[in-house]
């Protein structure tokens, strides 16, 4: 009877942990904890030098089949701080073949004569920590990859894989049947005198005809001769290349590198960085990094030079350096200037690589038993350049063309793609394009308040195409009818060719014309194959949306809670009944089918065109939906309808923001694996290959406000760990009512309203008692708001502040001052109650600024301050991290889009590591720095970010620059490094060409080197890093230009282009400011949104036509030159 020996599987990986953290390897095998980190294999660490930790662990058992495993960083309480990015697979064939006896545990026994005859086997896995933020993991996103890797030939990665040649070691029939799992199975060596080595490396970006080879200093790897280097096998599912070979222990350690072999010799390329090394754990001199006696070159003497071709790194404008196999985190990126010692130096510089007469250097055994197999999982192939892209951003409604009617449309989007492509850029970013028709007025111009998370907005319909298509279907007998419609459209186009969008008039015209086109072709359209396929594919959202729109128009309101029996209690039944042909509203329902069909076709055509020319179309996922929306009507259980979503106060908006969206019932959403969110992301992938998640902080926690609020001050984070009543009592804070009710006294009324205090007290207050006396002996009365004024809704919606048109200015000013004063009093509290839990409380944000707080005794202030700091700064981190880890992966796993999270505002410490762990790019806006200081420094931005000088929620760069002369002086000198005597004689040095230098193996080293005097260096003007300094002297001696002239904007754009950020995105207004004739419009007119105004009219429109941009060859050439000098180079990769 055959005996399968036990196998000891050893794991080792380099990762730099913080104090108190440990590594655990866990997996689906019971010996690995069955995915419970508490039962996994605890690893031990040892220092390798000053900045590297090697973690090792092992487990022994009968591993007769495959198993999956993953590494986790845990804290002292066994909470997972970070997961390794990928789940790894291991499959070791049994060391003893069937029919062989049990043998001895003695590794040196001669009884077996073969490694497969061991009584106990030993295998080792050398892993490389995998960060999702590694530059190569961009290409794990399929939709993004298919566009970014398209060289114009239309060959997607899948086609490339299909065209690859057969591997050097053909798979057996069993391998073919078992697929990926069998291809990863590792057999033992044929003799115990050898060790089986398995090399694995990933290449997520491949070009047509490319293969991977392994070159090294052993015979199995060709002895550094590229013509003898074996071609590796490819697992298409994981895009992992693998190679098995046997070596004698005397040949260890093996030094090697990977090389791309192209369809032609000129396309060959050796990977960058130090030699890779594989050896058993514990062998003297074992290292996987460069060390004394190991080469830092590419190997192979002259052969290495021929492999390099023209792709060596050097020169000021060299591309970003390649990502090595080591892990990369957004906070482990170092920036260094230009060329340094090349990692591709020839072998002649490394005398210890080989010995004379072909002898090996450094092959020395340890005293430990040798493993039968070693698996070296080397992460990613190290390309010479990390991919970086650039692009422009513009709301679709803002586009202006010769054919657009009133606002930009989806056909204009195609022309915008051509503008970006002609400028050498490869990204076009837009705002949300979902339907927002709730009020049937200009309030609906707010693009983030969706009435449906799936339906597209009729505003973006190119109505001329609809007319032409309807005329074709209707036939020549209706030619006069459609000629009249064309004339009407042309007239509207001329009338609506305005400086800004007339939202109501534009939507009215497009829907009116669309309705008449539909009526002319209703029967053939509804019976057409194209529409029937569209309806079948999208019925799950299209039918509810169309019925909702019909009922909204019928009732005159989208507030479905006012629809009686047709409200949300029976919405599914209502949709089933009213979406049937012959229902009382079916004609209107079918009209919305018709409009959505054409919108979908037009946007998909724009997306297809973008893909054809290699431009990434980047969409926007709003964080919320309108309360009066299809989604809240159909799925009321997913929303907390008695609340609103917003943002806390900050430097840009002291009142905070109230967006009016209901918050989410995450507990209910989790029951089907966040299916609603997954459906949203999957649907958007129909059009976009990249996506911006609006307010990604909301997936960690959301700023939740009571429904009656109008501003964002009186909110709290949800979820969050509240302050419990017993915590207050333990600190002597028994007077809870005093802390939770608005503090209103006669003294406060006098201070705020002056001699109108009596009027305010009489109209809005009720007296509740006395609280001490004035120095003159008068009692200090206390008050509370009358019931009708006790909420923001009741106060601000009352008739008390309504004044007639034509009222004198003094009356308007007095009324507004009283309104603000009363709102201030409503906010004069220290704690907020939880309406769902009487023992839970939350600190009112910025409570220290209230008189309610400042009137307390010192010990009370100290106690509240401690609780305040603990609430906002300590107790929430674990909860918010776990909440994001539950919700965000649902979005990431259902889409192939490249995902960027808008992480601006009050960012908790747990956010950056979770985004990094999930591979979500962050956002960097220069005037909203994540680090300390007044301005963001683009040269310091992490690779896994999208950088921009401004965005739709800020003023344009031109307006911001010109608004404040003191700030302008600090910015021009400290950030742009202005030289010269100011004004038009000033000049700005070119930015450094930075390249990303990734820290090896999770190392803790995070050194940055910046060239002295270069842009981005500390203290360019004598001011400190925080922007402080004698800027007055600077202004007097060398004032910067008052206006953001084209040469100033050019310096700003170049600085962002040169940043390490993976994407540099520029609002169209900023790029237009590079051209003097385009920059004559008043800068303040180019603002898209004012976040402080929740009734802002989103109506900005570009003043330059897209056709004119496309014809301006000099302007496009200037942009293209800046793209090329930065190394972004049309988004093409350097290999």
């Amino acid at each position: 009877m055959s005996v399968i020996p036990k196998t000891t599987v050893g794991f080792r990986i380099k990762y730099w942990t913080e104090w108190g953290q440990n590594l655990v390897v866990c997996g689906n095998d019971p010996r690995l904890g069955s995915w419970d980190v508490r039962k996994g294999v605890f690893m031990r660490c040892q220092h390798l030098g000053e900045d590297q930790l090697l973690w090792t662990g092992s487990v022994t058992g009968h591993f007769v089949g495959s198993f999956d495993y993953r590494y986790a960083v845990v804290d002292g309480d066994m909470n997972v701080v970070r997961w390794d990015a990928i789940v790894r697979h291991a499959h070791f064939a049994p060391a003893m073949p069937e029919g062989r006896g049990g043998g001895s545990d003695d590794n040196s026994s001669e009884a077996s004569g073969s490694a497969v005859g061991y009584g106990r086997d030993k295998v080792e896995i050398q892993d490389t920590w995998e960060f999702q933020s590694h530059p190569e993991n961009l290409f794990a996103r399929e939709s993004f990859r298919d566009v970014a890797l398209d060289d114009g030939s239309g060959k997607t990665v899948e086609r490339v894989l299909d065209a690859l040649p057969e591997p050097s070691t053909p798979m057996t029939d069993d391998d073919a049947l078992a697929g990926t799992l069998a291809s990863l199975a590792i057999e033992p060596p044929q003799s115990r005198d050898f060790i089986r080595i398995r090399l694995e490396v990933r290449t997520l970006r491949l070009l047509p005809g490319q293969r991977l080879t392994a070159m090294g200093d052993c015979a199995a790897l060709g002895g550094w001769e590229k013509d003898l280097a074996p071609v590796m096998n490819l697992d298409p599912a994981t895009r992992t290349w693998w190679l098995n070979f046997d070596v004698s222990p005397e040949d260890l350690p093996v030094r090697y590198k990977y090389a791309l072999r192209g369809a032609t010799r000129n396309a060959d390329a050796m990977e960058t960085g130090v030699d890779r090394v594989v050896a058993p754990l514990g062998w003297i001199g074992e290292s996987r990094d460069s060390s004394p006696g190991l080469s830092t070159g590419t190997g192979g003497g002259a052969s290495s030079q021929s492999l390099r071709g023209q792709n060596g790194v050097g020169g000021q404008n060299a591309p970003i350096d390649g990502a090595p196999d080591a892990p990369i985190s957004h906070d482990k990126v170092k920036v260094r200037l230009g060329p340094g010692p090349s990692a591709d130096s020839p072998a002649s510089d490394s005398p210890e690589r080989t010995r004379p007469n072909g002898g090996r250097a450094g092959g020395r055994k340890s005293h430990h038993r040798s493993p039968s197999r070693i698996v070296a999982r080397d992460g990613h192939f190290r390309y010479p350049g990390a991919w970086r892209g650039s692009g422009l951003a513009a709301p679709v409604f803002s586009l202006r063309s010769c054919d657009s009617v009133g606002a930009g449309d989806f056909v204009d989007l195609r022309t915008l793609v051509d503008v970006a492509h002609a400028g050498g850029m490869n990204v076009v970013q837009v705002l949300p394009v979902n339907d927002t028709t709730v009020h049937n007025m200009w309030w609906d111009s707010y693009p983030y308040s969706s009435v449906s998370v799936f339906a597209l907005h009729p505003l973006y319909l190119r109505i001329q195409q609809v007319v032409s298509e309807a005329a074709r279907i209707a036939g020549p007998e209706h030619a006069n009818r459609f000629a009249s419609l064309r004339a009407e459209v042309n007239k509207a186009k001329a009338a609506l060719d305005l400086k800004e969008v007339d939202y109501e008039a534009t939507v009215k015209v497009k829907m009116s014309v669309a309705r008449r086109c539909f009526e002319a072709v209703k029967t053939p359209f509804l019976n057409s194959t194209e529409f029937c396929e569209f309806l079948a594919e999208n019925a799950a959202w299209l039918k509810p949306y169309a019925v909702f729109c019909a009922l909204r128009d019928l009732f005159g309101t989208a507030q479905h809670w006012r629809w009686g029996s047709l409200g949300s209690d029976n919405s599914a039944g209502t949709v089933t009944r009213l979406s049937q042909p012959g229902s009382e509203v079916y004609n209107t329902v079918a009209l919305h089918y018709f409009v959505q069909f054409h919108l979908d076709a037009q946007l998909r055509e724009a997306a297809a065109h973008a893909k054809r020319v290699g431009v990434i179309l980047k969409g926007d996922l709003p964080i919320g939906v309108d309360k009066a929306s299809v989604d809240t009507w159909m799925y009321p259980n997913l929303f907390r309808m008695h609340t609103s979503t917003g943002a806390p106060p900050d430097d840009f908006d002291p009142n905070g923001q109230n967006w009016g969206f209901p918050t989410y019932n995450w507990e209910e959403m989790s029951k089907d694996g966040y299916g609603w969110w997954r459906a949203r992301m999957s649907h958007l992938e129909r059009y976009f290959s990249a996506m911006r998640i609006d307010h990604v902080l909301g997936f960690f926690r959301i700023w939740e406000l009571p429904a009656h609020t109008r501003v964002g001050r009186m909110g709290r984070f949800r979820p969050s760990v509240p302050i419990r009543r017993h915590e207050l009592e333990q600190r002597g804070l028994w007077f809870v009512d005093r802390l939770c009710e608005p503090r209103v006294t006669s003294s406060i009324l006098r201070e705020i309203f002056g001699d109108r205090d009596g009027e305010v007290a009489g109209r809005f207050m009720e007296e509740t008692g006395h609280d001490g006396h004035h120095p003159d002996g008068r009692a200090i009365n206390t008050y509370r708001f009358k019931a009708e004024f006790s909420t923001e809704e009741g106060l601000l919606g009352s008739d008390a502040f309504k004044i007639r048109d034509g009222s004198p200015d003094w009356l308007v000013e007095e009324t507004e001052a009283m309104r603000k004063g009363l709102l201030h009093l409503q906010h004069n509290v220290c704690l907020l109650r939880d309406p769902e839990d009487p023992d839970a409380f939350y600190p009112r944000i910025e409570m220290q600024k209230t008189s309610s707080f400042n009137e307390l005794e010192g010990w009370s202030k100290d106690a509240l301050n401690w609780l305040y700091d603990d609430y906002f700064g300590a107790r929430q981190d674990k909860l918010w991290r776990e909440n994001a880890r539950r919700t965000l992966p649902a979005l990431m796993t259902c889409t192939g889009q490249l995902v960027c999270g808008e992480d601006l505002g009050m960012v908790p410490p747990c956010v950056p590591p979770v985004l990094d762990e999930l591979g979500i790019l962050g956002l960097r806006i220069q005037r909203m720095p994540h680090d300390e200081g007044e301005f963001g420094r683009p040269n310091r931005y992490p690779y896994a970010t999208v950088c921009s000088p401004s965005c739709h929620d800020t003023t344009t760069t031109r307006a911001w620059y010109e608004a404040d002369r003191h700030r302008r002086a600090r910015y021009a000198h400290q950030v742009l490094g202005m030289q010269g005597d100011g004004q038009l004689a000033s000049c700005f040095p070119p930015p450094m060409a930075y390249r990303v230098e990734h820290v090896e193996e999770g190392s803790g080293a995070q050194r940055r080197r910046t060239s002295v005097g270069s842009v981005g260096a500390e203290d360019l003007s004598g001011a400190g890093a925080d922007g402080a300094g004698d800027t007055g002297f600077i202004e007097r001696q060398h004032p910067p230009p008052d206006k953001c002239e084209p040469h100033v904007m050019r310096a700003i754009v170049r600085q962002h282009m040169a940043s390490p950020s993976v994407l540099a995105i520029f609002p169209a207004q900023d790029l237009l400011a590079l051209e003097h004739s385009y920059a004559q419009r008043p800068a303040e007119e180019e603002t898209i949104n004012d976040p402080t105004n929740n009734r802002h009219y989103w109506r900005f429109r570009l003043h330059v036509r897209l056709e004119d941009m496309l014809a301006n060859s000099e302007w496009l050439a200037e942009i293209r030159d800046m793209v090329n000098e930065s190394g972004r180079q049309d988004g093409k990769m350097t290999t």
Side-chain angles (χ1 to χ4, degrees), residues 552 560 895:
R552 175 198 61 201
H560 47 79
T895 180

Side-chain angles (χ1 to χ4, degrees), residues 434-435 450-455 624-625 630-631 664 676 680 683-684:
N434 299 105
D435 190 4
S450 305
V451 75
S452 167
V453 297
F454 300 102
V625 300
V630 183
D631 300 278
Y664 295 117
W676 183 77
R680 290 184 69 180
H683 184 74
L684 288 171

Side-chain angles (χ1 to χ4, degrees), residues 562-595:
R562 297 171 59 187
W563 293 353
S565 62
L566 299 180
S568 58
D569 290 342
N570 188 34
S571 54
T574 300
V575 169
T576 300
R577 181 171 63 86
L578 297 183
S579 62
Q580 296 297 320
S583 77
E584 51 266 52
V585 295
Y586 184 72
N587 197 60
T588 305
V589 168
L591 168 64
H592 290 287
Y593 290 165
F594 177 79
V595 172

Side-chain angles (χ1 to χ4, degrees), residues 165-220:
E166 292 297 319
S168 59
T169 305
M171 292 189 202
T172 66
D173 292 339
D174 291 339
D175 287 337
L177 290 173
T180 300
L181 298 185
S183 71
L184 294 176
I186 304 171
E187 297 287 341
Q190 295 300 312
S191 168
R192 69 182 180 89
D193 295 329
F194 290 87
I195 296 176
R196 171 67 51 88
I197 303 294
R198 167 74 159 237
L199 302 182
E200 295 181 6
V201 68
R202 301 171 72 201
T203 53
L204 297 177
R205 48 168 163 161
L206 286 171
L207 296 178
Q210 287 183 331
R211 294 166 291 168
L212 208 65
T213 64
M215 299 175 60
D217 59 2
C218 65

